[in-house]
């Protein structure tokens, strides 16, 4: 399983929004509508951004990564 698949499998309301880009509910806060953006870049790294202001460490801790 790839890194991005591992993360996406742990999130709720995941929707692919483009090639190598997704949006999901942020597990680090009470997210009613998806506010977590995930993008896999060409070298395999992930860019994770919560539009609600959660730190990446908080997001990853919430899904036990």
């Amino acid at each position: 399983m790839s890194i991005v698949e591992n993360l996406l499998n742990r999130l709720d309301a995941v929707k692919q929004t483009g090639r190598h880009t997704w949006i999901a509910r942020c597990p680090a806060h009470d997210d009613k509508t998806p506010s977590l953006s995930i993008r896999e870049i060409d070298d395999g790294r992930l860019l994770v951004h919560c539009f609600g202001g959660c730190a990446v460490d908080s997001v990853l801790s919430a899904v036990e990564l």
Side-chain angles (χ1 to χ4, degrees):
M1 179 181 308
S2 73
I3 295 169
V4 71
E5 288 173 328
N6 191 12
L7 175 59
L8 294 175
N9 285 337
R10 296 168 185 247
L11 298 171
D12 293 325
V14 175
K15 180 179 177 185
Q16 189 161 12
T17 57
R19 185 172 183 257
H20 302 290
T21 59
W22 298 265
I23 195 160
R25 287 189 187 135
C26 178
H29 74 274
D30 187 23
D31 202 1
K32 305 268 188 271
T33 59
S35 65
L36 185 68
S37 173
I38 303 102
R39 183 198 303 179
E40 184 177 30
I41 57 177
D42 291 338
D43 65 6
R45 289 182 293 161
L46 297 181
L47 303 177
V48 177
H49 178 76
C50 174
F51 289 96
C54 298
V56 173
D57 290 347
S58 298
V59 172
L60 297 179
S61 291
V63 293
E64 299 179 353
L65 288 176

